[in-house]
Amino acid sequence: MFDVHAIRKEFPILSREVNGYSLVYLDNAATSQKPQQVIDAIVDYYSNYNANIHRGVHSLSQEATDAYEAARKKIQAHFSVKHSHEVILTPGTTHGINLVANGFSSLLKEGDEIIVSALEHHSNIVPWQMLCERTGAILKVIPIDEDGVLKMDAFDTLLSKKTKLVFVNHISNALGTINPIKYIIDEAHKYDAAVLIDGAQACSHIKPNLAALDCDFYVTSAHKMCGPTGVGMLYGKEEWLEKLPPYQGGGEMIAEVSFEKTTYAGLPHKFEAGTPNICGGIAFGVAIDYLNNIGFDAIAAHEEKLLKYATKKLLAIDGLKIYGTGTQKTSVISFNIEGIHPYDIGTIVDKLGIAVRTGHHCAQPIMNFFNIPGTVRASFAFYNTMEEVDKLVSAVERAKMMLQ
Amino acid sequence: MTIEQIQEELIDEFSMFDDWMQRYEYMIDLGKSLPLIDEAKKTDDKLIKGCQSKVWLDAGLNGEKVNFKADSDAIITKGIIAILIRVFDDQAPEDILSAKMDFIDEIGLKEHLSPTRANGLVSMVKQLKLYALGYQAQLNS
């Protein structure tokens, strides 16, 4: 039985005050808060079995290695990945994208094409621009319509024999739009193009089945899913990971080293140079258990209620416009009020204890498309309540009164 | 008036308010009296970097004193730059350069000094002082 008030008690930070008000945390698309179980796992690791992994023969190192590798298996099971060595533990989504982009620089030639969507986060645009500069490949962009939805007919015409890579986010961070990734993956595969999906915004809301999706790469970050910062997953199909060269040199990623020649370790270690974020990886596993215990169906049902209620209440404010109005979206509301800068609204609602994000959300091309300097973004998680929606709405109304 | 006297005056004015809402409302009002930069001068080179909202700042030398004009597309930011210009406008470059900024804390706007605040109060002060530095060099040459 989903009980939001019982769940809230498991997040210590949610009971604190900000500027004299109870915190209303609505910046979940930037990072999620952490339950006690995850915090305890971090404390437990450093208190009881901190050791370097994969090398030591001593018991502590064995324990830490077992826990870290058990976390990898948990991640594998959660995302329905075929082999555990297809799960690369990274410092996060951006690192995973850069690892793939870097790897492809040896596989692309001049005139090859890369397709990205107009809904991308800067971290999913810049690495490909750099890759194009290095290789002479050409970047093509899937446009969006007024609802902030990708135009699939335009995507169809962009695809050709020249397409080598397609990169799309699963869910837009700025607007919350859920992209039709299954269609994109299937169509791209008809041209033998590889597909990377950025799941940073998706994995706190839904449980992707990567085997069924059949994407070639999928990246995400633990910190958006109740886990710690500094750790994430890169999933890659075995045949692609074998094809890509190592990203960084160092310990952990080698099999044998001499000054004449070094042979690299097998997967996944080839892409995990240096001492990894051991504690982070273990806590990532605990966060996944935590979310699965609540259940993604229950999470989605609660978030859907929050989204519908907040959308209705916010739209009742005169002059308020929501960006990202497609039918397929998660609990993210990006909005502006006519004649008021989003920064001003963010500043006033913060004084009332409400944490929202303002600005371009690292997605300037989207803001340019709508011809706005930015938006106010309220992003809801399963631990948010209807009362918090009411507080947001009255704070926005108050800000409007002060600012107009 | 000297910079210190203007700062004291501002501290007095802001001390009349008991809560943040009144302070912000007053700051928004101050923004309305800001000497505005000409529309034609709102070019990219007048933009202050590091602000989430757009802030244009221009300066000119009047005798041995510096005059400032500015504008912003966000009204709280406009209030902040108006306060800064009230303090620094029509002052000598060396006085602008040596001015202390403790009054920001005393008028209850301390949160805007934090580097996490994207409104760029720190960037605005830096840019005002850069203009002063430029005019000081010009006057001494």
Side-chain angles (χ1 to χ4, degrees):
Chain A
M1 180 59 200
F2 185 86
D3 178 354
V4 70
H5 297 288
I7 287 170
R8 288 180 70 81
K9 291 205 177 84
E10 294 176 322
F11 289 78
I13 206 169
L14 296 180
S15 59
R16 71 160 279 184
E17 290 194 347
V18 170
N19 295 324
Y21 295 86
S22 300
L23 166 69
V24 176
Y25 186 76
L26 302 178
D27 195 17
N28 294 287
T31 196
S32 65
Q33 296 304 343
K34 321 303 171 199
Q36 193 63 50
Q37 289 87 330
V38 169
I39 298 166
D40 287 346
I42 293 167
V43 174
D44 181 41
Y45 170 75
Y46 285 116
S47 307
N48 294 311
Y49 62 101
N50 170 49
N52 212 331
I53 55 170
H54 295 145
R55 291 179 273 245
V57 291
H58 57 83
S59 303
L60 224 53
S61 173
Q62 286 294 332
E63 272 182 47
T65 305
D66 289 349
Y68 189 72
E69 290 306 321
R72 192 193 304 275
K73 288 222 153 61
K74 236 174 239 178
I75 297 163
Q76 177 200 355
H78 177 78
F79 288 99
S80 306
V81 170
K82 202 162 154 196
H83 307 292
S84 65
H85 61 254
E86 292 175 319
V87 172
I88 312 294
L89 287 160
T90 65
T93 300
T94 301
H95 184 96
I97 293 168
N98 277 283
L99 189 156
V100 176
N102 187 69
F104 265 90
S105 60
S106 59
L107 303 177
L108 292 179
K109 57 182 192 308
E110 208 177 325
D112 284 345
E113 293 179 358
I114 299 173
I115 298 177
V116 299
S117 91
L119 283 176
E120 297 310 303
H121 187 274
H122 292 163
S123 68
N124 212 359
I125 300 172
V126 180
W128 311 121
Q129 284 174 333
M130 289 162 65
L131 177 59
C132 287
E133 278 170 23
R134 281 201 298 270
T135 60
I138 299 158
L139 200 64
K140 302 263 176 177
V141 182
I142 313 169
I144 51 173
D145 66 17
E146 285 294 324
D147 288 320
V149 174
L150 291 178
K151 289 181 170 175
M152 279 303 100
D153 50 341
F155 171 66
D156 292 339
T157 63
L158 289 177
L159 273 174
S160 76
K161 288 266 177 244
K162 290 183 196 160
T163 310
K164 293 293 179 271
L165 290 160
V166 179
F167 301 97
V168 180
N169 55 28
H170 196 160
I171 291 174
S172 151
N173 76 306
L175 307 177
T177 311
I178 304 173
N179 291 317
I181 57 168
K182 183 62 186 152
Y183 177 83
I184 290 170
I185 293 162
D186 290 347
E187 291 304 302
H189 282 170
K190 289 179 185 166
Y191 295 88
D192 294 324
V195 183
L196 182 147
I197 304 293
D198 171 357
Q201 289 301 324
C203 299
S204 60
H205 305 292
I206 46 186
K207 183 175 179 171
N209 181 327
L210 299 187
L213 276 174
D214 195 34
C215 56
D216 303 284
F217 301 96
Y218 193 97
V219 284
T220 197
S221 294
H223 74 93
K224 311 243 195 213
M225 328 171 43
C226 297
T229 53
V231 65
M233 174 196 73
L234 160 66
Y235 157 78
K237 277 185 188 162
E238 187 180 29
E239 61 262 37
W240 276 113
L241 292 177
E242 292 291 359
K243 237 182 265 181
L244 298 186
Y247 181 42
Q248 289 175 332
E252 292 259 355
M253 55 75 74
I254 40 83
E256 282 181 64
V257 174
S258 72
F259 283 107
E260 289 73 39
K261 184 166 173 59
T262 291
T263 49
Y264 303 124
L267 296 171
H269 307 294
K270 173 179 156 187
F271 294 110
E272 295 182 355
T275 297
N277 183 348
I278 304 165
C279 175
I282 294 167
F284 187 6
V286 173
I288 283 177
D289 282 344
Y290 178 82
L291 291 173
N292 280 312
N293 279 338
I294 296 174
F296 277 84
D297 289 343
I299 288 174
H302 182 70
E303 289 178 347
E304 176 73 16
K305 267 189 234 161
L306 290 168
L307 176 67
K308 279 200 174 130
Y309 183 60
T311 304
K312 190 177 133 217
K313 295 271 287 191
L314 283 170
L315 282 176
I317 297 174
D318 192 33
L320 188 141
K321 180 176 159 82
I322 291 177
Y323 299 90
T325 43
T327 51
Q328 300 294 310
K329 65 178 282 187
T330 48
S331 48
V332 171
I333 301 180
S334 226
F335 67 91
N336 275 333
I337 294 177
E338 203 183 343
I340 305 181
H341 197 284
Y343 167 79
D344 286 329
I345 297 173
T347 303
I348 299 296
V349 303
D350 170 61
K351 298 296 284 183
L352 295 162
I354 295 171
V356 291
R357 177 82 185 268
T358 61
H360 54 59
H361 316 299
C362 299
Q364 280 172 340
I366 302 178
M367 302 302 134
N368 293 342
F369 174 80
F370 288 114
N371 198 21
I372 48 177
T375 66
V376 181
R377 183 188 68 188
S379 51
F380 304 90
F382 57 89
Y383 45 69
N384 289 125
T385 63
M386 299 294 177
E387 297 82 65
E388 287 181 312
V389 173
D390 290 336
K391 284 183 184 172
L392 168 73
V393 172
S394 67
V396 171
E397 279 169 341
R398 203 157 155 190
K400 186 179 176 237
M401 256 168 40
M402 281 180 76
L403 297 164
Q404 254 175 355
Chain B
M1 274 204 287
T2 65
I3 288 178
E4 286 77 24
Q5 285 168 334
I6 300 168
Q7 290 184 346
E8 282 303 321
E9 197 180 64
L10 277 161
I11 292 167
D12 273 354
E13 288 168 21
F14 274 86
S15 70
M16 293 187 300
F17 309 121
D18 351 294
D19 69 8
W20 69 268
M21 256 185 98
Q22 292 174 336
R23 281 201 301 274
Y24 271 65
E25 276 167 354
Y26 186 58
M27 189 160 69
I28 289 165
D29 276 345
L30 290 178
K32 290 170 186 159
S33 60
L34 174 72
L36 288 184
I37 186 170
D38 294 340
E39 281 299 318
K41 283 197 165 174
K42 283 188 182 177
T43 46
D44 280 356
D45 59 319
K46 301 284 188 297
L47 271 177
I48 298 177
K49 303 274 181 279
C51 304
Q52 214 180 72
S53 49
K54 284 188 172 162
V55 186
W56 296 269
L57 177 69
D58 192 22
L61 201 56
N62 180 14
E64 295 194 341
K65 304 283 176 71
V66 188
N67 287 126
F68 293 101
K69 286 182 173 180
D71 201 356
S72 172
D73 58 351
I75 69 173
I76 292 172
T77 316
K78 208 163 156 177
I80 292 170
I81 190 84
I83 289 171
L84 294 177
I85 288 186
R86 183 162 147 199
V87 170
F88 290 128
D89 191 46
D90 218 25
Q91 301 289 341
E94 55 271 26
D95 294 335
I96 296 170
L97 288 167
S98 62
K100 292 204 178 89
M101 299 304 292
D102 303 344
F103 82 103
I104 293 288
D105 192 354
E106 291 185 52
I107 63 177
L109 297 174
K110 190 184 172 190
E111 68 258 31
H112 292 284
L113 288 173
S114 148
T116 62
R117 296 302 291 212
N119 70 22
L121 188 145
V122 175
S123 311
M124 291 179 211
V125 173
K126 195 176 152 196
Q127 196 60 38
L128 285 156
K129 292 202 170 196
L130 273 174
Y131 273 119
L133 193 66
Y135 288 126
Q136 188 185 41
Q138 200 176 314
L139 288 170
N140 290 342
S141 65

